[in-house]
Amino acid sequence: QMGANDCQDPPEYWTIHGLWPDKNQECNRTWHFNVTEIKDLLPDMRHYWPDVLHASLNRTEFWKHEWDKHGTCAATLEVLNSQKKYFGKALELYKHVDLNSILLKAGIKPSSSYYQMTAIKDALTRFYGVTPKIQCLPPEEGEKAQTIGQIEFCFTKELQLRNCTALKGEPDPVQADLKLGTEELSLCSDTLPTYYPSQVQ
């Protein structure tokens, strides 16, 4: 839906957006992204963390953005303090969470009929034991349903799953920095019917 892009064959599975520390700004502008540092991760990166918006041959634009904005901040943790560790750990967490197969097991799959958001939330909370943050595109004009867009899992600094709710004295978890067309993802409403499309049309 993002207008002038060449989104070729978008994957029909959940992919990675990023691994974000609560600080949401570039932390070290001098630490530039270098794809050679993650060359042995590239097959997994292309599969699980694809850039479907930029047509450049090496398609590293998305990874560069995530490193500049979030990775250089995350690197204050020893377990994430290099590009190899940051991207490698994000891939590891993605595989550990295994969202694709968990949703399928719960009978939640792309469909032309609508879901109740509470049913999706309950299924995920039941399985993971924590509450993720589910983000949607609001209904378009004249439509009644929101469209599921992103599912965010929250971790402690020890990288254990935790509820995605602000801890006392902490700011709310970072808002999405993903815009689809003119629409921005926002927290899904519990009361609106929810569309989980097989492909973004």
Side-chain angles (χ1 to χ4, degrees), residues 165-182:
T165 47
L167 298 172
K168 279 200 177 81
E170 272 190 15
D172 274 334
V174 177
Q175 281 304 308
D177 60 355
L178 181 67
K179 278 197 163 123
L180 295 175
T182 54

Side-chain angles (χ1 to χ4, degrees), residues 16-23 49 66-67 69-75 77 79-80 85-94 153-156 159:
I16 299 173
H17 182 169
L19 178 60
W20 307 338
D22 280 346
K23 289 201 287 282
W49 199 331
E66 290 299 311
W67 170 255
K69 186 167 184 181
H70 303 291
T72 59
C73 301
L77 288 183
V79 68
L80 301 172
K85 285 184 187 175
Y86 172 73
F87 290 104
K89 184 55 76 174
L91 288 164
E92 200 181 297
L93 292 172
Y94 168 90
F153 286 89
C154 300
F155 296 89
T156 64
L159 301 181

Side-chain angles (χ1 to χ4, degrees), residues 30-45:
T30 62
W31 194 350
H32 297 299
F33 176 71
N34 177 0
V35 74
T36 57
E37 290 193 28
I38 58 167
K39 59 180 185 297
D40 54 344
L41 300 176
L42 287 178
D44 272 1
M45 291 289 289

Side-chain angles (χ1 to χ4, degrees), residues 2-197:
M2 291 184 72
N5 72 66
D6 62 335
C7 185
Q8 301 294 326
D9 306 320
E12 292 186 18
Y13 49 89
W14 290 90
T15 60
I16 299 173
H17 182 169
L19 178 60
W20 307 338
D22 280 346
K23 289 201 287 282
N24 187 28
Q25 73 275 353
E26 294 182 25
C27 287
N28 183 348
R29 286 161 190 259
T30 62
W31 194 350
H32 297 299
F33 176 71
N34 177 0
V35 74
T36 57
E37 290 193 28
I38 58 167
K39 59 180 185 297
D40 54 344
L41 300 176
L42 287 178
D44 272 1
M45 291 289 289
R46 289 191 186 104
H47 186 73
Y48 300 118
W49 199 331
D51 183 343
V52 293
L53 298 182
H54 302 97
S56 65
L57 282 172
N58 54 6
R59 287 183 176 251
T60 60
E61 194 60 35
F62 186 21
W63 307 333
K64 177 187 181 307
H65 167 78
E66 290 299 311
W67 170 255
D68 292 345
K69 186 167 184 181
H70 303 291
T72 59
C73 301
T76 55
L77 288 183
E78 193 180 329
V79 68
L80 301 172
N81 67 4
S82 69
Q83 289 174 50
K84 177 96 183 270
K85 285 184 187 175
Y86 172 73
F87 290 104
K89 184 55 76 174
L91 288 164
E92 200 181 297
L93 292 172
Y94 168 90
K95 290 174 183 173
H96 171 68
V97 166
D98 195 14
L99 183 61
N100 291 291
S101 67
I102 296 320
L103 284 170
L104 269 181
K105 271 188 196 140
I108 298 164
K109 44 187 185 283
S111 165
S112 55
S113 50
Y114 298 134
Y115 286 94
Q116 292 297 321
M117 178 47 60
T118 47
I120 296 175
K121 259 194 195 155
D122 290 350
L124 292 175
T125 304
R126 216 171 32 246
F127 185 83
Y128 292 106
V130 297
T131 310
K133 186 161 92 177
I134 307 177
Q135 294 166 333
C136 289
L137 282 172
E140 289 183 6
E141 223 169 301
E143 299 280 312
K144 60 174 184 176
Q146 61 192 348
T147 303
I148 197 166
Q150 178 162 273
I151 298 178
E152 194 171 313
F153 286 89
C154 300
F155 296 89
T156 64
K157 283 185 173 173
E158 293 71 43
L159 301 181
Q160 300 298 310
L161 279 170
R162 73 166 173 91
N163 287 327
C164 288
T165 47
L167 298 172
K168 279 200 177 81
E170 272 190 15
D172 274 334
V174 177
Q175 281 304 308
D177 60 355
L178 181 67
K179 278 197 163 123
L180 295 175
T182 54
E183 299 287 354
E184 204 156 333
L185 288 169
S186 53
L187 278 182
C188 301
S189 155
D190 277 350
T191 53
L192 287 176
T194 304
Y195 183 43
Y196 177 5

